[in-house]
Amino acid sequence: MPIAVDIDVMLARRKMSVGELADRVGITPANLAVLKNGRAKAVRFATLAALCEALKCQPGDLLRWDPEDLEDSEDAAVAEDAAGR
């Protein structure tokens, strides 16, 4: 996925735990971990706004586009197609 999530960077800057952020945002720590680790397929604007409010940051501080990740995901898709998946 070419969108990288930098929540861990902001957590470190704010000296905040995943559990504390999850409580402030109103989501489960497990769902926050999915987002933080880049495994989420989508994020609601309401959740993004709550994250920005809790971390006192802008959406661009949490999300960034990484074109190298796009190339890696395209290579993986080609390999899966070749394997017949």
Side-chain angles (χ1 to χ4, degrees), residues 10 29 35 45 48 73 83:
M10 293 306 298
L35 182 60
F45 282 160
L48 183 58
S73 64

Side-chain angles (χ1 to χ4, degrees), residues 47-78:
T47 302
L48 183 58
L51 287 166
C52 290
E53 183 178 346
L55 293 168
K56 296 179 177 41
C57 67
Q58 294 293 313
D61 296 325
L62 301 177
L63 304 172
R64 65 183 160 80
W65 182 67
D66 188 349
E68 289 183 15
D69 283 347
L70 176 62
E71 292 170 11
D72 292 343
S73 64
E74 287 174 353
D75 291 344
V78 169

Side-chain angles (χ1 to χ4, degrees), residues 26-54:
I27 62 175
T28 66
N31 283 341
L32 182 57
V34 167
L35 182 60
K36 183 175 86 69
N37 294 325
R39 295 189 316 264
K41 299 291 182 196
V43 61
R44 292 176 188 237
F45 282 160
T47 302
L48 183 58
L51 287 166
C52 290
E53 183 178 346

